Amino acid sequence: MSEMDQAVFNDEMVSKNACLLIVGMHRSGGSLLAGCLHHLGVNFGHNLLAGKDSSGGDAFENQDIVLAHEILFRDLGGRWDMVGSLPEGWAESEAAEQARQKITQIIEKQFLDQGLWAIKDPRLCRVMPLWSEVLARQGIRPLFIHMIRHPHEVASSLKEHHATGLSKGHLLWLVHNRDALKASHGHPHTFLTYDQLVADPVSSMLRISSALNIDLPGDPLQYSRTITDFAQPDLKHHHTNNRSTSFTNHTFTQYAWICLLYTSDASDDLL
């Protein structure tokens, strides 16, 4: 096999034995990213909720996986908007084993040998220890896409859609992204901000492909019109100057600083 053939073979194997995991806090643009990838042919499963609220809602989430996560949270006495940690030793609980079996069944039925696939559900951030074990057993390599949005925008969106207090919204942003960073450590990963995605969705798709060393099913340049028509800037309803620290409550400035670290050239140093 020539070096060129070997390189092509290696690229195909990466795509075949890998999955994209979109991680980040709710209302961070994960649905918009998932929609762009979906339009490029990435498989998000059979029971897919495709809605108009791609600006930050639950569009393009696999409802079978969401249900498995919700049942797990319920059985552990938690919920998606809990700030605290899951119970100690939760990954070895009976509830976790049931979720592990269900997720394995979903992967085998909806994703294996069906092209490049992805999962978008913010709950992933909290339950990645379980997913890491399932994927390892299947010989699947996780590729992480950290979807980042300014914490004050996330908190404002949560307040509007879920009546969540601003302080809690900022804490949820911190907890979810902290857990996502921990989960992606040692694995291929890349960072994308909501602002970057809406400003240039085509370049964002090319950046993901290059950073994770994968070939997307569809060429972003070929489908540029489809992607740009989908990722409309007016889908983003809350705006904050990323370099502003003049929030009404100055407690929030520390979270803005963390967000700036994510978007800096030194973001990988956080890991």
Side-chain angles (χ1 to χ4, degrees), residues 204-252:
S204 295
M205 297 303 102
L206 293 171
R207 176 184 173 187
I208 289 172
S209 177
S210 175
L212 299 179
N213 191 28
I214 56 170
D215 290 325
L216 297 172
D219 183 352
L221 295 176
Q222 182 178 349
Y223 291 90
S224 60
R225 179 64 179 273
T226 300
I227 297 174
T228 53
D229 285 348
F230 173 76
Q232 293 292 325
D234 60 4
L235 289 172
K236 183 182 179 184
H237 305 300
H238 297 275
H239 301 268
T240 299
N241 183 346
N242 280 346
R243 300 198 177 278
S244 171
T245 57
S246 59
F247 296 138
T248 301
N249 186 337
H250 291 283
T251 303
F252 296 160

Side-chain angles (χ1 to χ4, degrees), residues 163-202:
T164 304
L166 286 177
S167 295
K168 182 177 181 180
H170 281 78
L171 287 172
L172 286 170
W173 182 93
L174 184 62
V175 169
H176 279 73
N177 285 294
R178 176 203 64 189
D179 289 352
L181 278 170
K182 182 178 180 181
S184 68
H185 182 60
H187 297 286
H189 61 273
T190 188
F191 295 84
L192 181 66
T193 70
Y194 198 170
D195 288 329
Q196 290 171 332
L197 180 58
V198 297
D200 193 342
V202 175

